[in-house]
Amino acid sequence: MTVPKLALTENTEAALAKTRADVVVIGTLQGEDGPVLAAGAAVADAAFDGKLAEVLATLGATGKAEQVVKLPTLGKLAAGVVLAVGLGKAADGAVTAEQVRRAAGAAARALAGTERAFVTLSALDLQAAVEGTALGAYTFTEYRSSKGDAPLAKADFVNPEDGTAREHRATLKAATAIAESVIITRDLINTPPNDLFPASFADRAKKLAEDNGLDFEVLDEKQLKRKGFGGILGVGGGSARPPRLLRVGWKPAKASKRVALVGKGITFDSGGISIKPAAGMDHMTSDMSGAAAVLASVVLAAKLKYPLEVTAHIPLAENLPSGSSYRPGDVLTMYGGKTVEVLNTDAEGRLVLADAMVRAAEENPDYLIETATLTGAQVVALGNRTAGVMGSDEFRDRVAGIMQATGEGGWAMPLPEELRADLDSRLADLANVTGHRWGGMLAAGLFLKEFVAEGLPWAHIDVAGPAFNTGGPWGYTGKGGTGVPVRTIAAVLADIADRG
C-alpha cells in the first residue's frame, strides 16, 4: 500500500515563497468566458500580477471538469510549475465535495513522477482534496518489471479559512485513514487470483487484524462442514483451494451500537458448471470486492476508533468447474437450516452471503450492511458507476442517501413482493434464481432477505459495476479495483455513531 505523505500548510505568499514543492495545484471553474480561479488560487494569482486566469486561457484552459493545464512559473514562484485542474461548473455558486475530489484525483494522476505538490484545492474542501489526491495517486505495479513514473510522493494541503487548526488536523487524519482503507481494498482486488485465494486472503486479513488490534477468527473447510455452512461449502467444492469463513472485529471499550458487515469473497468466479463466457472472465478476479471492502472498513473503524462494535463476516470461496463442483439441481442446506435448490451455479454469491448473514445475526447486531459484486443486472439497470441499494426501507434509504453524499453514487431500489414467488422451488425452501431475467438485481435482494433476522435493519449494496473499473481512468479512479463502497461504509458508521 502506497499513500503520498500528506501534511498541512498555510496559503500565504510567504509559504509559497519558501515551499519545497515542485508544483502548485490550483482549481479553475468553468466560466462563461473562460476559466475562473477557484478559492485558494489568489496567492498564486498575485505572483502573476492577477493575470493567471488569462495566461491559462491562452494555453487552452476552460475550467472543464478534470481538465489539466500546466504552466511554468519562470521564477514567479518557488515551485517551478502551476498545475490548473478544472472543477467544472459551480451550481448556484457552490462547488461540491465530489467536484473537488475528482479534480484532486485528476491532478494527482497528472503528477506522476513529481516529488512534492502544494495543493490549494483544500481551501474548498479539505477532506475531499486529501481523499482525491491520495486515491488519484494510487498505482498498482507489483507485477510489472518496469514500474514507470513513481506516484506523487508528498502533498502539502493549505488550511481552509473556516475551522480551527485542531479541526483541520482531525480532518486530515480521518481523510488519510479513509483513503488508506480504500487502497487496502484496491490492492486486494487487483491481486491476481493465482496469488489471492481463500487461504491467502485469510492470511492477509490476519496480518491486518494483528497490526490494528482486531479480533480474528477463521473457519477452514472441516470446521465449515462440522458447523453446517452448506452454501460456502457448495460453492467452494469445485476448487482445489478450499473455502474459508473469516470473522474480523473491532470492539472498543465502550460501544453505543453493534454493526455487522458482510462481504462477498469469491476470489475467482468462473461460473462453475454454469460457466461464464470466456470474454471478460478475467474481470472476475474482482468478485471478492465486497469482502475486501468490509475487511478494510473494520480496519478503518479501529484506526478512527469509532465508538461502535464493528464485525466483518467474510465468506471466501473459489467457484470453479470440476468433478467435485456443485451442480444445477443440487439442494444445499444452508447455515441455519434453510434449503436452497441450485438452478444456476453462477448465482453463487448469494449462497455464500446467506451463510455469513445468518452467522452475523447470531451476535445480535443493531445493523447489518452487506455488499457484493452480485449481479450483472445491476450494471444493466444502473450502469457501471451507480450501485443498487436494497434492504429494509428506512435503513436502505439512509445508506443510499449517504452513498450519494460521498460521491459513490448509490440508488435505492425496491424488493417487489411479486418477484418472491419466482424463487419458489419444487424441491427446497427456495431456489437460488428465478426462471426469467426480469428484475435480476431485485430477485437477488429478495433471496438475501430470506436470510436476514426478523426486525434487523439491513442494507444490501450491489456494486457489480462500481467496484471494478474496466475502462480508462477518471477523477480519482484508475483502472481495476475502485474501493467502492468503503467510503460509504465509513460514512454510515460515522452516522450511526453520531445518531444511533
Side-chain angles (χ1 to χ4, degrees):
M1 179 179 71
T2 303
V3 179
K5 184 177 180 180
L6 309 175
L8 291 169
T9 190
E10 296 300 320
N11 190 17
T12 63
E13 186 175 342
L16 266 179
K18 67 180 182 180
T19 185
R20 294 183 178 181
D22 305 292
V23 179
V24 175
V25 178
I26 66 167
T28 56
L29 294 163
Q30 189 172 357
E32 293 286 337
D33 301 311
V36 177
L37 300 184
V43 177
D45 184 37
F48 285 82
D49 300 322
K51 296 182 179 180
L52 182 53
E54 295 177 35
V55 176
L56 290 169
T58 64
L59 296 176
T62 63
K64 183 180 178 181
E66 302 181 28
Q67 180 193 49
V68 172
V69 174
K70 293 182 180 180
L71 169 68
T73 63
L74 302 178
K76 295 178 182 293
L77 294 170
V81 175
V82 169
L83 184 152
V85 60
L87 292 152
K89 295 181 179 179
D92 300 322
V95 176
T96 67
E98 183 64 4
Q99 284 177 288
V100 175
R101 197 177 289 111
R102 290 189 184 185
R109 286 192 288 109
L111 289 172
T114 301
E115 179 66 21
R116 191 167 189 167
F118 184 100
V119 182
T120 69
L121 294 170
S122 49
L124 296 160
D125 189 310
L126 177 58
Q127 179 167 340
V130 172
E131 290 177 359
T133 300
L135 297 179
Y138 172 83
T139 58
F140 187 78
T141 59
E142 183 175 344
Y143 293 84
R144 292 185 180 274
S145 56
S146 177
K147 307 296 185 183
D149 288 337
L152 173 68
K154 299 177 183 178
D156 299 320
F157 296 91
V158 303
N159 283 306
E161 292 184 0
D162 296 335
T164 65
R166 182 178 181 180
E167 290 170 339
H168 296 156
R169 287 194 298 271
T171 299
L172 177 66
K173 178 182 177 181
T176 302
I178 290 169
E180 288 173 346
S181 287
V182 173
I183 288 170
I184 289 171
T185 307
R186 289 181 176 183
D187 280 350
L188 285 166
I189 296 168
N190 290 331
T191 300
N194 58 314
D195 282 344
L196 190 75
F197 44 92
S200 63
F201 188 114
D203 290 341
R204 292 196 186 197
K206 183 179 181 181
K207 179 67 164 57
L208 284 168
E210 290 172 347
D211 290 347
N212 292 279
L214 302 172
D215 297 331
F216 180 80
E217 177 189 38
V218 56
L219 301 182
D220 64 19
E221 68 274 22
K222 293 179 181 178
Q223 294 164 308
L224 291 170
K225 184 175 182 179
R226 187 165 61 247
K227 293 175 180 290
F229 287 92
I232 299 171
L233 287 167
V235 173
S239 174
R241 299 188 285 198
R244 298 287 186 268
L245 176 61
L246 312 184
R247 182 190 179 279
V248 187
W250 156 248
K251 189 174 183 179
K254 292 183 179 180
S256 58
K257 296 288 181 181
R258 290 179 176 176
V259 182
L261 307 177
V262 175
K264 173 185 172 183
I266 303 299
T267 56
F268 185 76
D269 181 22
S270 70
I273 297 297
S274 308
I275 196 163
K276 295 176 180 291
M281 195 191 289
D282 58 298
H283 298 160
M284 289 300 99
T285 182
S286 69
D287 215 20
M288 35 57 66
S289 297
V294 298
L295 173 61
S297 295
V298 179
V299 171
L300 179 62
K303 285 182 177 180
L304 296 183
K305 301 188 185 306
Y306 286 137
L308 304 169
E309 189 173 327
V310 182
T311 306
H313 300 265
I314 303 173
L316 299 165
E318 190 173 54
N319 187 23
L320 293 178
S322 76
S324 59
S325 295
Y326 75 136
R327 297 156 291 257
D330 283 359
V331 173
L332 305 179
T333 301
M334 312 295 286
Y335 185 71
K338 284 188 178 180
T339 57
V340 176
E341 181 185 11
V342 177
L343 299 182
N344 188 321
T345 64
D346 194 25
E348 84 298 326
R350 64 200 70 184
L351 299 173
V352 301
L353 289 169
D355 273 359
M357 289 164 70
V358 174
R359 173 65 186 90
E362 292 179 338
E363 298 181 0
N364 299 312
D366 297 290
Y367 296 97
L368 169 62
I369 304 170
E370 168 267 310
T371 186
T373 49
L374 202 61
T375 66
Q378 178 271 314
V379 183
V380 173
L382 295 173
N384 286 315
R385 298 190 188 180
T386 303
V389 185
M390 288 146 275
S392 49
D393 291 352
E394 184 178 346
F395 191 49
R396 172 203 64 196
D397 292 347
R398 183 176 177 183
V399 171
I402 290 172
M403 197 167 193
Q404 291 169 24
T406 64
E408 289 191 326
W411 199 256
M413 302 296 290
L415 294 175
E417 291 183 11
E418 68 272 13
L419 286 177
R420 171 58 187 87
D422 297 334
L423 290 170
D424 287 343
S425 164
R426 67 183 180 87
L427 296 174
D429 293 329
L430 71 163
N432 73 328
V433 294
T434 65
H436 56 76
R437 62 189 181 92
W438 315 119
M441 172 174 58
L442 312 182
L446 284 164
F447 179 92
L448 293 174
K449 184 180 178 182
E450 294 290 315
F451 298 88
V452 178
E454 186 70 28
L456 174 60
W458 157 67
H460 157 57
I461 309 173
D462 191 336
V463 290
F468 195 75
N469 179 26
T470 60
W474 54 275
Y476 49 90
T477 301
K479 294 192 72 171
T482 66
V484 175
V486 170
R487 292 190 296 109
T488 292
I489 295 173
V492 172
L493 292 176
D495 190 59
I496 291 172
D498 185 46
R499 300 199 296 128

